[in-house]
Amino acid sequence: MRVFPEIGNSQLRPAASWICSGAVVRFFVYGIPVLLVALLVASFLTVASFSTDRKNELTIASIGEPTKLNPIQSAESGASEVEQFLFEGLLQYDQNLQISPQLAKSFSLSQTTTIYFQGPTAALTALSFVRAAKEAWADLSLLEARAEGTKLYLKFGLPGMTASEKIYELFNPASTLPLTTLRAETGGEARALLKEFQEANIDLPIVRAWFDYDAAFEITIPGEAKQALEDLKAFLAKKGKEKATVVVTETRKFLAEPVVQFILRDDVRWHDGAPFSSKDVAFTYRSLVNEAVASPRKSDFDLIQSLETPGPHEVLVTYRKPFSPALTSWMIPLLPAHILEDKPVTWWNDNFNRRPIGLGPFKFSSWKTNETLRLVANDDYYQGKPWLEAVVFRYLPDPIAVRLSFMTRQTDFWGVDPWAVKSYIDDPRFQVFRYPSNSYTYVGWNLRNPLFQDLRVRTAFAHAVNVPEMIKYILYGNGVQSTGIFLPHFWFANPDIKPIPYSPETAKRLLDEAGWKPGPDGIRVKDGKRLEFTLLSNQANEVRKDIATLVQDNLGDIGVEVKVEIYEWAVFISRFVNKLEFEALVLGWNTGVDFDAYQVWHSSQTNPEQLNFVGYKNPKADKLIEQLRQEFDPEKIKAMAGELQRIIYEDQPYLFLFVPDATSVIWKNSFRICRPDGKGGFVDTPVEITKAGWTYYLQWFYRPEYADRLPANREVRP
Amino acid sequence: MIAFIIRRLLISVILLVFISVISFGIITLTPGSPYPWGELNPKISESVKANFRKQFHLDEPIWNQYWFNMRGLFTGELRSIKDGRPVLERIGERLPATIALNVVAITISLSFGLLIGVYSARKSGQWQDTALSTVSFGLLAIPEFWISYLLIIGLAGWLAIPIMGTVSHGIVFPNEAAAWMDWLWHLFLPATLLALGGIAGQSRYVRASMLDTLREDYIRTAQAKGLPADTVFYRHALRNSLRPVITGIGGLLPALIGGSVIIETIFAYPGIGRLGYQAVMERDYPTLVALNFIVATLVLLGNLIADLLYAVVDPRVRLE
């Protein structure tokens, strides 16, 4: 090693002087950059040289990463996208969006109606009335009638109010006792407080009690409740609950309590091998109503009075009143009681929700946050092992990344936006799927505003807006015109409603009739007021922005001045929608396959922060909405839902625009489906899309290059 | 020196309190809510909303919420509203990826900054210097996300080369070495883009400092006594010009963790930057509080370290 005598720093040790030598410094200045460039080039060449041999897996790119894989704690679509392969519910939608059993082998409905009388004699008389006329009521599906004390029990084969009401009309109303339900908002300790209240008022005949978390209770008592109301108020005040409120929520002629009986499959095991049983159903229900779990799906289960498990494969659910939409809530995926019971929710968060144990066709394998979530085939699945070895979700931050990931063949499946799908339809490398989405887009008119109270004006606007053109240019043809609150592909939708046609002439005529005459600048005027309003929408939604522009343009043609204002979503909701301070807005609803229109269309839901924010009120519609919720007969549901849809469409509280298609694309021939044909064999078909979406058959997807593991005797359809 | 450090630490603590109060205010007063369900959801009843607010203390006055968040942060019990896990654990699991990315980025920016700065100084006034200066100013002026998207369109769009995330997906790697190179590729690309601004800035520092030093008397003396030009340049001039680079290292400390929000989001890189971006979008207050606090602490600490290094490197500086 050369020391540098010419500098004369003899104090330096040889090592230090070497480090300070020009050679080392030069290496740092020039060598490291060269090394870095070399590594970059080498890694680039390696990655560029990779072959396209695919693993026997399906990779899905998604923007919505779940935060927890727990179906009762999560509400995001990203979570259910994964959970559908891990968990299952008692019921499911089949490929035609009809309710069908999944973990339940079968289910049946019935109803117990309890009528309270003034005395035991009145009850016995009533029973003899019923018995005498029983023949006449065969069509009411009355199965059983018996009297017990002052009560008359009636058992029906189908839940609902109509049959019970017909029988109730037989009796002298003076001999019966109506029932009153009180709700006490205690803000905590509801269970303990009710217990204490009961002990202090032993005479009070509480026939039903129900708790809304531990924050409120509802009690039902026969007869007048004035005294009980006062007693309860005084009691709560004495207990230091000054903020507590007590109200009468309902007065009923009788108790009508539907019962759903589920018979469960007995061949299902959780991914850890434990058998699935009615305990799991009961546990899932208990968790849903547990405040610590804070489930966003609890409201669906609020009408349940009790859930019993008479056997390991039988579940009886009793409802507080007939509420037909409640049946779909049993599609909720179930949780394993043997793992989660007796564990605090923080344990769920730290363990189960990151490494769930389910019972679906795929098992959880690994989850790297913001990267990938990997599910592997469940060998033990009761319908048979899936053909794919794994399903991988890849989480990306934005649609551009998702697209690039698909184009570089990093993912197999892409939910492409409708506006981008055209180029993929024309490209022979891809296969494109389209199916109607469960959503519709609309312009809502604030019916509190005098301008929009005139039906002629609303109908004129509907005639003036060119919806077919909107579908053509905004959705590139991927959608259909909406004909009201139910979507055309739902089984209860009304197929006879014709969309209001585009006709600016009709629109002009209607506005003329309504008194809006063209003014000097082309804008219509009535009583000195110009026909103008502001149309609001939210940012980050290009489709809605385009709609607002087209509506502005179309209405401009018939002499209406529309100002468009776009706000950030949170501001849009909190400042305008929730406060009901808007004139018109562009929005959309994602709807389940649900005929319950209460929250969005009932006249009781028009207050601030409620969802009937346009302020729609129609007594006829109200009545149908209420009846629909109590009807269990599919034929009658279809008739009533169709009628409701027609009434609301004719009232035009919204300008109903369109139902967009969901569009997705895969690389051509990358997958096929080999599924059971229901007769013991298998059919082998190209990937097909059902009404229930593209993942419906996913457990039967296979890659053609791994076709050797399929059964040989399958029927192949090209 | 010790007195100086203690004084600075005390000031930092007071500053941190102010920073945390202000940032908490900004975080929670932003419109929007951390609810796990969408706005306008007909399936959510009032009692579910009230219970959710109660579970996460969102129904309490804002100062109580502040206190609850800060206490939770120090006891380690602060949990994310989104997935219910401790925020420190959520941040911790992203740390390795982010540190790897930023260490590589800092290495690239320091080494290339040094190279370009030294080279420019050497060729001062010649066309190479002018060219490199133009490029440097260009890199400083152009937003990194724009260059990133150009690169992404070129590599992924035209050449179909995977660049998102930390590894390639769905393909069978021929061997272990290929898997490593794949990982390296996914690390190098975002790191390079992250470093671009740093390279430009660093090279300007080095060049300016180098030119200053070359005008010093002792350099002239060294040249006069007949030392080879390289020895004068690399041994005498370069060592003394590195002072701004070394003191600047303290300032890189916060960048190690918080400096890569945009690049991590563009390249789908699973680091702390993306976590922070998501937390903002989801209004996950506890995660934001923790991230803000950690980055603020690192900034203050980095400034202190920079001052200390300055005193260590330059004997003329005394800290009182």
Side-chain angles (χ1 to χ4, degrees):
Chain A
M1 187 177 305
R2 215 164 75 91
V3 182
F4 293 81
E6 64 268 29
I7 302 174
N9 49 358
S10 49
Q11 309 96 310
L12 279 180
R13 283 182 297 267
S17 79
W18 179 77
I19 286 169
C20 294
S21 75
V24 175
V25 174
R26 257 184 269 190
F27 169 75
F28 270 102
V29 175
Y30 298 105
I32 292 183
V34 169
L35 193 74
L36 288 172
V37 170
L39 276 174
L40 183 64
V41 170
S43 64
F44 170 77
L45 292 176
T46 319
V47 172
S49 73
F50 284 152
S51 72
T52 49
D53 286 347
R54 311 293 302 179
K55 293 183 196 162
N56 188 17
E57 292 177 354
L58 183 135
T59 313
I60 300 166
S62 173
I63 299 174
E65 181 163 7
T67 49
K68 21 180 123 170
L69 288 177
N70 183 321
I72 73 162
Q73 281 183 296
S74 56
E76 328 95 82
S77 60
S80 45
E81 213 174 59
V82 179
E83 284 157 6
Q84 62 178 332
F85 302 123
L86 289 171
F87 298 97
E88 289 187 356
L90 289 177
L91 305 174
Q92 65 168 350
Y93 283 127
D94 66 9
Q95 63 272 44
N96 297 314
L97 290 183
Q98 304 269 22
I99 295 175
S100 70
Q102 191 171 31
L103 288 176
K105 230 188 300 187
S106 64
F107 66 98
S108 59
L109 301 165
S110 61
Q111 178 176 305
T112 311
T113 297
T114 317
I115 306 176
Y116 285 78
F117 288 88
Q118 300 282 3
T121 0
L124 282 173
T125 322
L127 179 64
S128 61
F129 264 49
V130 176
R131 289 233 165 105
K134 199 181 169 197
E135 295 297 309
W137 298 329
D139 59 322
L140 295 186
S141 71
L142 179 65
L143 303 176
E144 193 191 321
R146 73 193 152 84
E148 203 182 288
T150 62
K151 290 174 278 185
L152 175 69
Y153 290 105
L154 302 169
K155 198 173 176 207
F156 297 94
L158 192 70
M161 292 299 277
T162 343
S164 306
E165 263 166 4
K166 269 193 187 159
I167 292 179
Y168 181 82
E169 277 162 18
L170 283 180
F171 314 132
N172 174 7
S175 70
T176 63
L177 260 183
L179 296 127
T180 312
T181 303
L182 299 176
R183 182 180 171 98
E185 298 277 352
T186 60
E189 300 163 280
R191 285 182 182 82
L193 283 168
L194 179 60
K195 198 166 168 240
E196 236 180 286
F197 179 68
Q198 261 180 302
E199 280 162 6
N201 298 272
I202 293 186
D203 300 339
L204 191 71
I206 297 175
V207 298
R208 294 287 182 270
W210 177 82
F211 299 94
D212 196 353
Y213 293 129
D214 211 14
F217 61 77
E218 289 183 15
I219 49 172
T220 303
I221 42 183
E224 279 281 320
K226 265 194 194 131
Q227 190 55 43
L229 184 81
E230 292 310 317
D231 288 352
L232 194 50
K233 272 186 184 163
F235 170 78
L236 290 174
K238 204 175 75 193
K239 287 283 153 197
K241 298 274 175 192
E242 288 88 4
K243 282 190 192 154
T245 56
V246 187
V247 288
V248 173
T249 55
E250 209 174 10
T251 314
R252 279 182 279 180
K253 296 179 206 158
F254 47 81
L255 286 182
E257 298 174 312
V259 179
V260 189
Q261 183 203 36
F262 294 103
I263 302 294
L264 310 184
R265 295 185 70 108
D266 50 11
D267 56 349
V268 182
R269 276 180 301 276
W270 292 98
H271 292 155
D272 62 356
F276 161 74
S277 76
S278 58
K279 266 189 197 160
D280 301 311
V281 184
F283 172 72
T284 305
Y285 170 67
R286 282 204 307 279
S287 308
L288 278 160
V289 297
N290 176 350
E291 45 261 84
V293 175
S295 169
R297 304 185 61 174
K298 181 227 176 205
S299 317
D300 287 346
F301 298 81
D302 273 352
L303 283 172
I304 293 179
Q305 177 64 42
S306 69
L307 186 145
E308 290 152 70
T309 51
H313 299 110
E314 188 185 356
V315 178
L316 286 177
V317 189
T318 308
Y319 284 88
R320 297 194 283 153
K321 56 177 144 184
F323 184 66
S324 46
L327 204 55
T328 54
S329 63
W330 287 108
M331 294 182 187
I332 193 163
L334 301 174
L335 295 176
H338 67 284
I339 291 171
L340 292 173
E341 217 162 15
D342 313 322
K343 299 272 197 338
V345 174
T346 47
W347 188 91
W348 296 23
N349 288 332
D350 296 343
N351 297 278
F352 184 84
N353 296 353
R354 301 287 301 176
R355 296 183 290 278
I357 287 179
L359 43 62
F362 290 89
K363 297 191 279 193
F364 176 83
S365 165
S366 66
W367 183 2
K368 291 186 208 149
T369 317
N370 276 186
E371 278 196 275
T372 51
L373 200 157
R374 195 182 159 80
L375 312 178
V376 295
N378 174 11
D379 299 346
D380 194 27
Y381 187 53
Y382 64 97
Q383 292 180 32
K385 188 191 169 177
W387 308 126
L388 290 169
E389 265 166 30
V391 173
V392 182
F393 291 87
R394 186 153 190 239
Y395 294 112
L396 298 165
D398 56 54
I400 302 172
V402 171
R403 171 163 189 257
L404 286 169
S405 162
F406 177 76
M407 293 311 290
T408 52
R409 300 207 73 153
Q410 294 285 288
T411 44
D412 299 302
F413 208 98
W414 176 31
V416 53
D417 283 318
W419 49 265
V421 81
K422 184 81 176 64
S423 57
Y424 295 90
I425 295 176
D426 299 339
D427 193 323
R429 289 177 298 165
F430 305 106
Q431 189 181 354
V432 171
F433 303 109
R434 276 188 293 187
Y435 51 98
S437 68
N438 290 353
S439 66
Y440 68 92
T441 307
Y442 61 86
V443 178
W445 315 116
N446 192 337
L447 303 175
R448 298 166 193 86
N449 185 321
L451 168 62
F452 300 114
Q453 275 167 2
D454 191 334
L455 174 63
R456 285 170 300 188
V457 172
R458 302 197 301 269
T459 316
F461 290 171
H463 277 296
V465 172
N466 193 343
V467 180
E469 193 186 65
M470 218 176 243
I471 294 172
K472 188 171 164 200
Y473 291 109
I474 298 180
L475 298 181
Y476 292 83
N478 298 298
V480 293
Q481 189 158 0
S482 154
T483 54
I485 62 169
F486 300 131
L487 310 185
H489 58 286
F490 291 172
W491 61 268
F492 46 82
N494 188 335
D496 301 327
I497 299 175
K498 295 280 165 290
I500 291 180
Y502 171 62
S503 162
E505 293 317 309
T506 320
K508 283 179 193 161
R509 205 194 66 228
L510 282 167
L511 287 181
D512 285 340
E513 280 172 24
W516 293 98
K517 307 282 187 202
D521 58 348
I523 302 301
R524 286 168 187 268
V525 185
K526 181 183 175 183
D527 307 333
K529 253 195 90 193
R530 283 158 56 86
L531 183 42
E532 58 183 4
F533 64 87
T534 308
L535 181 61
L536 305 182
S537 193
N538 66 297
Q539 239 166 39
N541 189 322
E542 293 304 317
V543 169
R544 285 185 201 159
K545 267 192 241 174
D546 292 346
I547 290 170
T549 313
L550 272 183
V551 168
Q552 184 182 36
D553 186 50
N554 284 166
L555 292 186
D557 291 346
I558 59 161
V560 184
E561 189 169 64
V562 182
K563 279 187 267 192
V564 173
E565 287 177 16
I566 308 285
Y567 292 92
E568 199 262 329
W569 175 249
V571 177
F572 175 63
I573 297 297
S574 60
R575 243 181 81 189
F576 301 104
V577 180
N578 280 347
K579 291 193 175 149
L580 313 176
E581 283 167 9
F582 62 92
E583 292 180 305
L585 42 75
V586 186
L587 256 176
W589 284 118
N590 287 319
T591 76
V593 188
D594 193 351
F595 48 82
D596 184 16
Y598 193 82
Q599 264 80 11
V600 181
W601 297 108
H602 197 271
S603 62
S604 65
Q605 305 295 308
T606 50
N607 301 317
E609 308 222 354
Q610 289 184 320
L611 297 184
N612 188 351
F613 39 75
V614 294
Y616 177 70
K617 289 181 183 176
N618 181 337
K620 269 197 259 171
D622 279 358
K623 190 139 191 288
L624 275 170
I625 290 170
E626 287 158 24
Q627 285 175 345
L628 255 178
R629 309 182 103 193
Q630 299 177 344
E631 186 54 62
F632 285 78
D633 181 349
E635 283 308 309
K636 287 185 187 151
I637 289 175
K638 198 167 182 312
M640 285 196 282
E643 178 66 7
L644 176 67
Q645 184 180 350
R646 191 186 59 75
I647 290 174
I648 297 182
Y649 192 69
E650 281 172 3
D651 281 342
Q652 285 288 312
Y654 288 174
L655 167 46
F656 292 93
L657 296 172
F658 51 69
V659 180
D661 285 338
T663 43
S664 38
V665 52
I666 63 171
W667 289 83
K668 201 161 225 165
N669 302 328
S670 54
F671 292 97
R672 284 178 65 84
I673 292 177
C674 178
R675 64 183 162 87
D677 60 1
K679 289 170 284 191
F682 283 88
V683 280
D684 186 336
T685 69
V687 174
E688 53 188 309
I689 294 297
T690 68
K691 274 188 188 176
W694 68 275
T695 51
Y696 186 74
Y697 287 125
L698 194 115
Q699 76 200 73
W700 306 118
F701 273 41
Y702 73 90
R703 280 191 182 277
E705 58 264 46
Y706 293 92
D708 50 330
R709 52 188 75 191
L710 303 181
N713 59 348
R714 64 189 195 272
E715 177 200 337
V716 180
R717 294 185 197 154
Chain B
M1 182 88 139
I2 304 281
F4 171 81
I5 294 175
I6 291 171
R7 200 173 68 232
R8 280 289 295 267
L9 285 176
L10 284 175
I11 294 172
S12 298
V13 169
I14 296 166
L15 260 176
L16 270 178
V17 173
F18 278 107
I19 293 172
S20 66
V21 168
I22 292 170
S23 68
F24 186 79
I26 293 172
I27 291 165
T28 46
L29 296 177
T30 313
S33 62
Y35 298 145
W37 51 82
E39 303 275 0
L40 307 182
N41 189 335
K43 299 272 183 196
I44 306 295
S45 70
E46 201 39 58
S47 79
V48 170
K49 286 184 196 165
N51 180 55
F52 185 85
R53 285 193 288 265
K54 198 172 135 210
Q55 297 291 326
F56 292 98
H57 304 263
L58 298 171
D59 54 349
E60 286 173 32
I62 192 159
W63 48 88
N64 281 11
Q65 291 189 38
Y66 172 78
W67 168 242
F68 168 77
N69 273 281
M70 294 317 285
R71 194 190 54 196
L73 184 60
F74 282 96
T75 52
E77 281 161 12
L78 188 61
R79 284 171 179 266
S80 154
I81 296 182
K82 281 292 148 177
D83 63 7
R85 292 192 304 142
V87 287
L88 294 180
E89 191 184 311
R90 296 183 91 203
I91 295 172
E93 71 188 12
R94 313 297 184 89
L95 216 49
T98 287
I99 289 181
L101 178 68
N102 285 289
V103 165
V104 174
I106 288 170
T107 313
I108 292 175
S109 79
L110 282 182
S111 58
F112 277 84
L114 195 63
L115 171 74
I116 294 171
V118 167
Y119 187 76
S120 297
R122 195 117 209 229
K123 302 280 177 185
S124 159
Q126 299 176 33
W127 69 267
Q128 294 95 327
D129 180 31
T130 319
L132 283 171
S133 299
T134 314
V135 172
S136 297
F137 280 122
L139 286 179
L140 277 175
I142 299 169
E144 55 188 18
F145 72 86
W146 188 72
I147 307 179
S148 305
Y149 275 126
L150 284 190
L151 197 74
I152 286 174
I153 291 168
L155 285 171
W158 295 343
L159 300 177
I161 294 196
I163 47 178
M164 300 282 175
T166 56
V167 283
S168 298
H169 286 272
I171 48 164
V172 186
F173 289 120
N175 52 46
E176 190 72 1
W180 275 99
M181 287 313 254
D182 181 63
W183 175 77
L184 212 57
W185 166 249
H186 284 89
L187 181 63
F188 258 59
L189 209 59
T192 308
L193 283 155
L194 197 56
L196 283 182
I199 295 175
Q202 210 64 256
S203 67
R204 301 308 298 169
Y205 279 133
V206 173
R207 178 181 174 277
S209 166
M210 201 68 194
L211 289 179
D212 275 352
T213 320
L214 285 173
R215 273 185 230 112
E216 295 284 340
D217 290 343
Y218 63 85
I219 298 292
R220 204 174 313 119
T221 311
Q223 283 165 338
K225 70 178 180 179
L227 285 182
D230 272 8
T231 312
V232 175
F233 194 82
Y234 291 109
R235 285 210 52 199
H236 296 238
L238 186 55
R239 277 180 66 199
N240 285 311
S241 337
L242 288 183
R243 217 174 291 134
V245 178
I246 291 168
T247 51
I249 287 175
L252 292 175
L253 193 64
L256 258 185
I257 289 191
S260 44
V261 177
I262 296 171
I263 289 293
E264 283 184 12
T265 307
I266 291 176
F267 283 90
Y269 193 84
I272 285 178
R274 213 171 135 199
L275 175 75
Y277 176 75
Q278 266 184 332
V280 170
M281 288 305 169
E282 296 170 338
R283 311 284 195 269
D284 187 0
Y285 305 142
T287 306
L288 281 174
V289 165
L291 276 176
N292 266 329
F293 193 84
I294 291 171
V295 173
T297 312
L298 287 176
V299 170
L300 295 177
L301 212 62
N303 284 342
L304 178 61
I305 291 173
D307 287 352
L308 294 178
L309 276 177
Y310 204 65
V312 170
V313 177
D314 191 338
R316 290 168 299 181
V317 175
R318 289 232 170 83
L319 299 173
E320 292 305 336

